[in-house]
Amino acid sequence: MFKLATAFVAATALLVTTTAGAQTRPDQVAFRALYKELVETNTTASVGDCTLAAQKMAAHLKAAGFPDKDLTIFFTPELPKNGGLVAVYPGTDPKAKAILLLAHIDVVEAKREDWTRDPFTLVEEGGYFYGRGAADDKAQASIWVDTLVRYKTEGFHPRRTIKMALTCGEEGGAPFNGASWLVQNKRDLIDAEFALNEGAGGQLDDHGKRIAHTIEAGEKTSQSFTLEVTNPGGHSSRPVPDNAIYRLADALEKIRGYEFPVMINDANGAYLSKMSKVVGGEQGAAMTALVANPKDAKADALLSKDPGLHTMLRTTCVATMLSAGHAQNALPQRATANINCRIFPGVSRDAVRDKLVEIIADPQVSVSKTAVAGPRGEAPAPPLTPQVMGPIEKVSAEMWPGIPVVPILQAGATDGKALTAGGIPTYGVQGLFYEPDLGRIHGLNERIGVTSLYEGRDFLYKLVKIYADQP
């Protein structure tokens, strides 16, 4: 049945056009059907089913010729809908370490009444694909499945084993994180020399012109801290100087006024060096100056006007939640605040907590770490070796001549952190180009350009082939 459906799609593909009017290749039509199936499978934490999505993707691989022994659907009995898929494409050299293709298949919540279109119906309109997960991260998940199907169909025999892990729980909201679970429980199943993941992409300007092709080469660690002040309280008609809310406010004001120092590593250092030539002018000069001297306050001040650059350069901590008091006519007995920190690679959570205690300088304000979701270790930035960067630069230059490949330090978080902390260096590589709105990821009317998706598919197909045949 699958083969008949595929043959029909291929036979009619030449009749299909995108909304932009460009003819679609036969293999793109087959991919679009796979992509549509995954996007339209609801995988939100509230009512979705990642295990079902994983089973659907496994069915595509099985239809292409993957034996059952090379396909593993995994989940825990207590959370049967939070599962994932690991697929193995055996290589010809048993001594060569595998490469791992990682993507998460869960998505952020989306309410139909808020969206212009049904978030769980893939809509192609005006040169874009719309839908929850259309970009984050079902674009790459679909590409990985499709890539393995293409390799199997054409009889490709890679030197290295290629592994793929589709996981659930990256977006939060669920008690199970598939990437962390695999590292902790099935490390041998996903063992690889390095992994390719989400976390970066090509940058377009407001007019759709390509600016740079970014590669994630490190992530910050997300850690929240709870500030708490307790007090005997009393009647609000008898105020006293020692007020829990005021004491907490003083602590927050001190945190607000503190800037963690600039830190330069391979990822953000390479970004500044390469982008300095792209942007030029005063900003470009400041980028060059800060790489040469991370203590250059003038260069730091100029670059930090851009929130994206500011957070790339240092650890950041910001107040995100407040709670205080128990009655309108009573002095507060307790006041708490949540401080969310994005910690520079290689810096420990304890070191940041100690710095917050030092900044606040008030023993009556306790500072404690909140529970950590996912990996607890602080993952260093993976090394930018020629083995990793060379193929990316080669394929990128072939597809987008003159567009620089620029490593970045990701201020957000992906499942790559779990793998890197577990000993599998992970890089964000997608070949998907986005406008300045980043495809409205996590927001309303999430989208990705049709051309961008198809080009990213071709980019990753070529890239993985090069890695798979590396000596």
Side-chain angles (χ1 to χ4, degrees), residues 298-319:
K298 183 179 179 181
D300 177 20
L302 176 64
L303 297 179
S304 289
K305 292 178 181 178
D306 181 329
L309 292 175
H310 175 260
T311 193
M312 187 190 296
L313 295 172
R314 52 172 49 82
T315 294
T316 60
C317 291
V318 62

Side-chain angles (χ1 to χ4, degrees), residues 124-371:
E124 184 177 348
E125 181 180 304
Y128 294 93
F129 286 122
Y130 290 87
R132 176 56 87 216
D136 184 17
D137 185 29
K138 289 181 176 180
Q140 189 159 27
S142 299
I143 289 172
W144 288 149
V145 176
D146 171 76
T147 295
L148 294 184
V149 167
R150 293 171 76 183
Y151 290 166
K152 196 73 170 180
T153 302
E154 67 189 33
F156 176 51
H157 298 290
R159 181 172 178 270
R160 294 175 183 261
T161 291
I162 305 171
K163 299 180 179 181
M164 179 192 73
L166 304 183
T167 61
C168 192
E170 194 271 353
E171 296 293 8
F176 179 79
N177 180 277
S180 293
W181 187 88
L182 287 170
V183 169
Q184 295 163 11
N185 297 278
K186 296 289 183 180
R187 178 66 170 73
D188 290 346
L189 183 62
I190 60 168
D191 187 44
E193 184 168 350
F194 61 89
L196 308 181
N197 183 35
E198 62 164 340
Q203 297 179 359
L204 302 173
D205 65 16
D206 291 330
H207 304 289
K209 180 181 177 182
R210 295 184 184 89
I211 300 172
H213 184 195
T214 61
I215 307 301
E216 187 207 284
E219 294 184 11
K220 286 185 168 183
T221 299
S222 178
Q223 174 66 59
S224 285
F225 298 88
T226 299
L227 273 55
E228 184 176 56
V229 180
T230 58
N231 195 286
H235 201 286
S236 61
S237 66
R238 295 169 59 84
V240 294
D242 189 13
N243 182 297
I245 291 177
Y246 295 157
R247 190 175 288 274
L248 178 64
D250 290 341
L252 294 174
E253 192 64 25
K254 292 175 182 177
I255 293 173
R256 177 187 181 187
Y258 180 77
E259 278 275 60
F260 284 84
V262 170
M263 300 182 73
I264 301 294
N265 65 5
D266 286 351
N268 64 0
Y271 178 87
L272 294 174
S273 296
K274 290 202 171 187
M275 290 304 292
S276 67
K277 300 177 178 64
V278 175
V279 301
E282 187 179 21
Q283 188 179 47
M287 290 176 171
T288 301
L290 202 60
V291 172
N293 177 17
K295 295 183 179 180
D296 188 325
K298 183 179 179 181
D300 177 20
L302 176 64
L303 297 179
S304 289
K305 292 178 181 178
D306 181 329
L309 292 175
H310 175 260
T311 193
M312 187 190 296
L313 295 172
R314 52 172 49 82
T315 294
T316 60
C317 291
V318 62
T320 56
M321 297 175 68
L322 286 170
S323 177
H326 60 285
Q328 293 183 10
N329 58 353
L331 299 177
Q333 297 172 2
R334 186 182 307 275
T336 64
N338 186 83
I339 303 295
N340 182 253
C341 297
R342 301 298 173 127
I343 303 172
F344 200 87
V347 177
S348 73
R349 293 177 168 95
D350 287 339
V352 174
R353 179 197 171 275
D354 292 345
K355 175 55 69 173
L356 292 176
V357 170
E358 178 187 328
I359 295 165
I360 294 167
D362 184 346
Q364 293 192 48
V365 181
S366 69
V367 181
S368 60
K369 289 184 288 185
T370 61

